[in-house]
Amino acid sequence: MVFHILTLFPELIKAAALTSITGRAVRQELVGLDIIDIRDFSINRYGSVDDYPYGGGAGMLMMCEPVFNAVAMAKKRVTGNKETRVLYPTPQGRIFDQSMAHELSGEEELIIVCGHYEGVDERVIEEVVTDPVSIGDYVLTGGELPAAVIMDAVSRLIPGVLHNGSSADTESFENGLLEYPQYTRPEIWHGKEVPPVLLSGDHGKVERWRFHESLKRTGERRPELLRKWLKERGIW
Ligand code: 4GS
């Protein structure tokens, strides 16, 4: 997987993507990271990439031409002549979730355009963006953190990125349920005991307990997820 990230804040993308497991994946070349600084595509001598919105109002908008030319550069760097999806983080996009992470992990390369300020001129969005995507219903300062979220969630689904083989698919959402609680040493901490079943050595019993805890948690904390899970199995 190669991510082409278009941004005015390359340092923010580097800090997020080159740390921890995603950083190791980049160093091992399981994931490619191509950061394109939109400022390099300014079309005036002042190096500006933003301008005032027509019709007035607060803040600045990113101009068409630098964004368009930065996307053209990213497309030139895509290996072969593939149709590459161009993601644009925005609260107006499709809500990003684990199933979308799986869908995107099947792509060979992805381009993510990070808007900053109040956003990007609508005309260039219409022309280049294939997938407006939202990481949730709140307003951020830029698309860099959403891009980092998407890269993180997608990268850990790429074979070899997680060393402990199966850990990606036992976690929350992979089975449509929240994850069961987990414990490590010591056996008693602040007077609280680790659930004895986990010390029993009976794997079948442990599995059943974890499944029961997953169902209980999902019902308590995310009842809509539990309903969906039950419906998919014809139980609701
Ligand atoms: C989100 C979000 C977001 C919106 C970017 C205002 C700068 C900002 N992007 N999910 N302009 N939530 N974007 O808040 O994806």
Side-chain angles (χ1 to χ4, degrees):
M1 166 65 69
V2 178
F3 294 103
H4 303 267
I5 310 295
L6 282 57
T7 177
L8 291 174
F9 298 91
E11 298 308 317
L12 192 42
I13 297 295
K14 280 183 216 153
L18 298 181
T19 300
S20 183
I21 291 174
T22 49
R24 187 181 65 201
V26 172
R27 288 189 294 275
Q28 293 180 335
E29 297 182 14
L30 296 167
V31 170
L33 181 60
D34 172 32
I35 302 178
I36 295 176
D37 189 341
I38 297 171
R39 196 166 297 281
D40 293 341
F41 297 85
S42 159
I43 52 161
N44 65 35
R45 65 189 128 159
Y46 312 106
S48 47
V49 289
D50 57 334
D51 209 338
Y52 300 96
Y54 281 118
M60 302 292 276
L61 288 178
M62 287 166 70
M63 301 159 67
C64 288
E65 206 64 13
V67 171
F68 183 78
N69 290 334
V71 172
M73 171 62 79
K75 286 183 174 172
K76 272 208 290 194
R77 292 185 185 171
V78 169
T79 315
N81 255 343
K82 289 177 302 214
E83 293 279 325
T84 306
R85 291 168 77 170
V86 179
L87 278 51
Y88 176 63
T90 167
Q92 301 170 31
R94 165 181 167 198
I95 295 282
F96 182 72
D97 62 9
Q98 193 64 14
S99 72
M100 190 176 186
H102 275 284
E103 180 188 317
L104 295 175
S105 73
E107 300 287 327
E108 285 177 48
E109 311 202 24
L110 289 170
I111 297 171
I112 309 182
V113 180
C114 303
H116 220 87
Y117 314 116
E118 299 307 305
V120 180
D121 188 308
E122 191 68 22
R123 294 167 295 183
V124 69
I125 296 174
E126 278 173 15
E127 213 160 304
V128 303
V129 171
T130 61
D131 296 82
V133 42
S134 169
I135 64 160
D137 290 340
Y138 37 77
V139 182
L140 298 166
T141 307
E144 285 78 11
L145 293 174
V149 166
I150 294 165
M151 284 192 288
D152 188 304
V154 170
S155 295
R156 58 202 301 296
L157 298 175
I158 291 164
V161 169
L162 295 183
H163 284 172
N164 48 345
S166 66
S167 87
D169 42 67
T170 65
E171 279 163 330
S172 292
F173 300 119
E174 285 301 344
N175 58 6
L177 297 172
L178 300 184
E179 205 176 29
Y180 46 80
Q182 302 199 83
Y183 304 85
T184 185
R185 292 193 290 180
E187 229 177 277
I188 303 175
W189 182 79
H190 285 197
K192 293 177 202 290
E193 281 179 39
V194 170
V197 57
L198 299 177
L199 311 174
S200 70
D202 182 336
H203 287 297
K205 232 171 130 187
V206 168
E207 286 314 298
R208 284 189 297 279
W209 180 84
R210 286 178 168 168
F211 179 55
H212 178 262
E213 291 297 312
S214 274
L215 284 173
K216 192 170 80 182
R217 270 208 173 179
T218 310
E220 283 163 6
R221 301 186 187 187
R222 298 291 301 276
E224 84 291 2
L225 273 187
L226 181 60
R227 262 194 300 278
K228 182 162 175 271
W229 189 92
L230 293 169
K231 274 196 186 121
E232 281 165 4
R233 285 158 186 77
I235 304 169
W236 189 273

